[in-house]
Amino acid sequence: MPEAFLSSHSSPEHIPPNSPSPHHSSPPYPTYPWQPPPDGPGRRRMPRHQPVGRHSDLRVLRSAYRRLRRVATLTALGYFTLFLVLSAFAPSFMARPVSGGLTMGLLLGLLQVPVTCLAIAVYEYTARRTVDPIADRIRRQSALDARREAAR
């Protein structure tokens, strides 16, 4: 009985005459308000330069920023890892007195703060010197592209 029910409702005589066919791929109107309008028959002008997303400066920026992050992170974490390894595998070295009641382990632990601050300072200096000019150039180019696009 279910096959008879399906076959009787899927026949072409039950489809209203003004409704779109069941195999129609999309309606003639935009289904979502954020959908861009369809391209007209006119020819679109191609930009003279690549859009920002494909620009080579963006790749350079990403690689410079990635290298910067790795160096700063490995500096701070590397020192901390060295401190932990020495604490675990060289307790006699870490217990060695340096001056008065100050041991080598305590001295190395206290040096973690200046090493981290140094890593942050080197990160900021290198970012201002290498990464920020590239980011500013990309920002200016995208603003120029937006103005050109608005003028069209």
Side-chain angles (χ1 to χ4, degrees):
M1 181 126 157
E3 288 95 16
F5 180 77
L6 288 175
S7 65
S8 68
H9 285 300
S10 62
S11 66
E13 59 197 35
H14 287 56
I15 298 174
N18 292 335
S19 69
S21 68
H23 303 290
H24 191 269
S25 62
S26 64
Y29 53 87
T31 50
Y32 302 105
W34 58 84
Q35 212 172 8
D39 291 336
R43 199 178 107 177
R44 286 183 79 179
R45 281 184 19 193
M46 296 301 291
R48 284 183 234 173
H49 53 82
Q50 293 178 341
V52 174
R54 296 183 184 155
H55 206 272
S56 64
D57 281 346
L58 200 55
R59 286 192 302 272
V60 171
L61 177 66
R62 278 193 298 257
S63 65
Y65 182 61
R66 188 178 308 123
R67 185 172 42 254
L68 186 63
R69 280 190 330 237
R70 285 180 185 160
V71 168
T73 303
L74 290 177
T75 301
L77 288 180
Y79 183 82
F80 184 68
T81 304
L82 175 71
F83 175 75
L84 291 179
V85 167
L86 286 174
S87 296
F89 297 109
S92 61
F93 173 75
M94 297 297 272
R96 184 179 303 159
V98 176
S99 165
L102 187 65
T103 63
M104 184 62 81
L106 187 57
L107 179 66
L108 290 176
L110 291 173
L111 282 176
Q112 179 68 41
V113 173
V115 166
T116 304
C117 290
L118 181 67
I120 291 170
V122 169
Y123 178 90
E124 286 181 2
Y125 174 76
T126 308
R128 286 190 181 122
R129 217 171 132 251
T130 60
V131 177
D132 287 350
I134 300 169
D136 290 338
R137 187 169 53 235
I138 292 172
R139 194 175 296 120
R140 283 193 307 270
Q141 184 66 39
S142 63
L144 182 63
D145 289 345
R147 275 186 261 138
R148 284 181 183 161
E149 200 58 41
R152 288 186 190 178

